[in-house]
Amino acid sequence: MRHDSHFQVKDLTVEFQLGKNYYPAVRQISFDLKKGEAFGLAGESGCGKSTAATAILRLLPDNARVPEGSVWFQGQDLLSLSQAQLRELWWKDIAMIFQASLNSLNPVKKVGAQIAEVLTVREGLQSRRAWERVEELFALIGIRPERAREYPHEFSGGMRQRVMIAMALCLNPSIIIADECTTALDVMIQAQIVNLLKDLNRRFDLSMIFINHDLALIAEVCDRVAVMYAGRIVELGPVSEIFFKPVHPYVQLLIKALPSMTTRSDQLVSIPGAPPRLKEISAGCSFLPRCPYGGEDCSREVPPYIEIEADHFAACFKSINSINGQDP
C-alpha cells in the first residue's frame, strides 16, 4: 500500500453459487486509492469489475460470498463491519453512482424528494433546509433547481444520471464509485457526464473509482487504471503507461482494437475468442486460449504479479521473460 493511500482493496475474492458449487467471479484483486485520485477499473463485460464494486460496499446478492480479502478505509476493514456500522459509512463516506439510473430512482416519487429524504434521515435537516440543499445540488450538476419537483420519467437518461450524481454527493462523501454510469448514453451525453465528473473530482478533491469498459473514457477521466480479465487484474499502472507502453498481451490487444483518429484503417482489430464463463475458469492463465504468446508455464500456474516500472504492474510470464532478457 502506498503511504499516501487512504483506501485499499487487498486480495478480494468473490464467489457465486451455481447449483451446489461456488465459482470465482473476482479473484484476489488488490489496488489502492489516494485522496483526490481518479482510479479506473476496466475490462470486458463479465470480467468482474462491477462485482468488485458491489462487494466493496457489501451489496452482493444472496448467492454470492467473499471467502477472502479485505477493504480498508479509515483504519477499518469494511468487510468485517456490522450492518449498523456500514450504514454510517454508506453515502456519508463512500457513495455509489449506479449503472441503471431509471431502476435506482423511485418512479412514483419526485427526484428532489428522494434526495431530501436522505438529508432529513441521515443529516437531521428540516424539510425546508433539505430542499434548499437539493436545489444547490441541482445547480451544481447543471440542472435547473425547479426541476427537482419532477418525476424520474420526466428526465432524459443523461439528466437522470446527473440526478444520481447529485444523490451520491448529497452527504459530501470522500470516495465516489461510478459503476458504468455512462452506459446506454449517446456520445454527446457521455462527454457531458465525464466532464461533470472531472470537474467535481477537481473542485472537491474527491477520490473516485471509475468503472467502465470504454478505455477511451477511462483515459479521459482517470489517473491510474487496472485492467481486469476473468476476475483478475492483469495490468495496473498510470493511464499513460497502460496506453502507450502496455505489457500484458490482453491489454496490448485492447489498445490495438481502439479506433485511431490519425491512422486510416479499413478494418478494426479484434481479439479472437471469448472470455471464459465462471464454470470454465481453470488453473493457469485465463487468457491463454486467446493469447498469441502462450506457453507451457501459462497452462500450469497463474502468472505472478510483478512490478514492471514504478507503479506499473502486470501478471504475465511474457513480461517476466522480457524483464529477464528472454524471448517471450
Side-chain angles (χ1 to χ4, degrees):
M1 182 176 178
R2 298 179 301 177
H3 71 278
D4 55 354
S5 301
H6 73 144
F7 180 86
Q8 183 189 37
V9 175
K10 187 174 182 181
D11 296 328
L12 181 66
T13 297
V14 182
E15 297 177 339
F16 283 88
Q17 185 176 19
L18 300 174
K20 295 182 179 180
N21 299 316
Y22 280 89
Y23 298 91
V26 174
R27 300 184 289 163
Q28 294 184 311
I29 70 166
S30 298
F31 63 88
D32 56 10
L33 185 68
K34 68 179 181 180
K35 186 168 179 58
E37 181 183 30
F39 181 85
L41 207 51
E44 294 174 84
S45 296
C47 71
K49 53 191 186 295
S50 292
T51 298
T54 52
I56 287 170
L57 289 179
R58 288 178 42 192
L59 297 173
L60 290 167
D62 292 338
N63 67 328
R65 69 180 184 183
V66 179
E68 181 183 0
S70 56
V71 179
W72 292 94
F73 177 66
Q74 296 181 343
Q76 303 178 94
D77 179 8
L78 303 189
L79 301 184
S80 65
L81 297 181
S82 67
Q83 282 296 318
Q85 290 172 314
L86 200 59
R87 284 192 203 98
E88 286 299 309
L89 285 173
W90 281 342
W91 306 109
K92 203 162 190 176
D93 292 290
I94 305 176
M96 190 163 181
I97 305 168
F98 291 96
Q99 181 174 347
S101 58
L102 189 58
N103 295 338
S104 301
L105 293 166
N106 187 334
V108 297
K109 197 169 186 178
K110 295 175 182 178
V111 292
Q114 297 181 54
I115 301 174
E117 182 180 23
V118 177
L119 293 164
T120 55
V121 172
R122 295 295 301 276
E123 295 284 85
L125 298 184
Q126 296 295 320
S127 177
R128 182 176 177 178
R129 176 62 192 124
W131 273 97
E132 288 174 354
R133 174 63 177 150
V134 169
E135 291 176 355
E136 291 169 4
L137 287 166
F138 267 55
L140 178 67
I141 60 171
I143 299 178
R144 296 196 314 273
E146 60 266 25
R147 296 210 61 187
R149 288 169 171 77
E150 296 180 9
Y151 293 93
H153 71 270
E154 297 179 273
F155 290 81
S156 66
M159 294 185 77
R160 281 196 297 268
Q161 203 58 268
R162 287 173 181 264
V163 171
M164 293 304 301
I165 293 171
M167 186 174 287
L169 292 173
C170 71
L171 297 184
N172 300 312
S174 59
I175 296 176
I176 293 284
I177 301 175
D179 182 20
E180 298 274 13
C181 64
T182 59
T183 299
L185 302 178
D186 65 56
V187 176
M188 295 299 293
I189 302 302
Q190 279 187 0
Q192 292 174 15
I193 297 298
V194 163
N195 288 334
L196 174 60
L197 290 172
K198 287 167 61 179
D199 180 57
L200 294 171
N201 173 243
R202 286 192 299 264
R203 289 172 63 182
F204 300 106
D205 203 24
L206 280 172
S207 299
M208 181 167 60
I209 300 174
F210 185 75
I211 300 168
N212 210 287
H213 62 272
D214 190 330
L215 285 174
L217 288 180
I218 292 277
E220 185 73 19
V221 174
C222 300
D223 305 302
R224 291 188 303 140
V225 58
V227 181
M228 293 185 67
Y229 184 82
R232 289 190 184 277
I233 291 177
V234 295
E235 190 164 352
L236 184 156
V239 164
S240 59
E241 291 282 319
I242 298 298
F243 269 76
F244 296 109
K245 293 194 289 184
V247 173
H248 195 281
Y250 173 61
V251 183
Q252 291 176 348
L253 290 169
L254 280 181
I255 299 300
K256 288 180 180 178
L258 289 173
S260 173
M261 297 293 290
T262 58
T263 305
R264 182 177 178 136
S265 176
D266 294 329
Q267 188 173 5
L268 292 175
V269 176
S270 63
I271 304 175
R277 298 179 180 180
L278 283 182
K279 292 183 177 181
E280 296 171 349
I281 294 176
S282 57
C285 177
S286 298
F287 189 60
L288 178 59
R290 308 172 73 187
C291 183
Y293 305 107
E296 291 184 10
D297 288 345
C298 307
S299 63
R300 287 197 299 263
E301 58 182 304
V302 175
Y305 201 51
I306 63 168
E307 188 167 16
I308 309 300
E309 296 180 10
D311 208 23
H312 186 179
F313 302 85
C316 180
F317 288 115
K318 170 181 176 289
S319 60
I320 295 173
N321 292 335
S322 297
I323 288 173
N324 293 333
Q326 303 171 23
D327 292 332

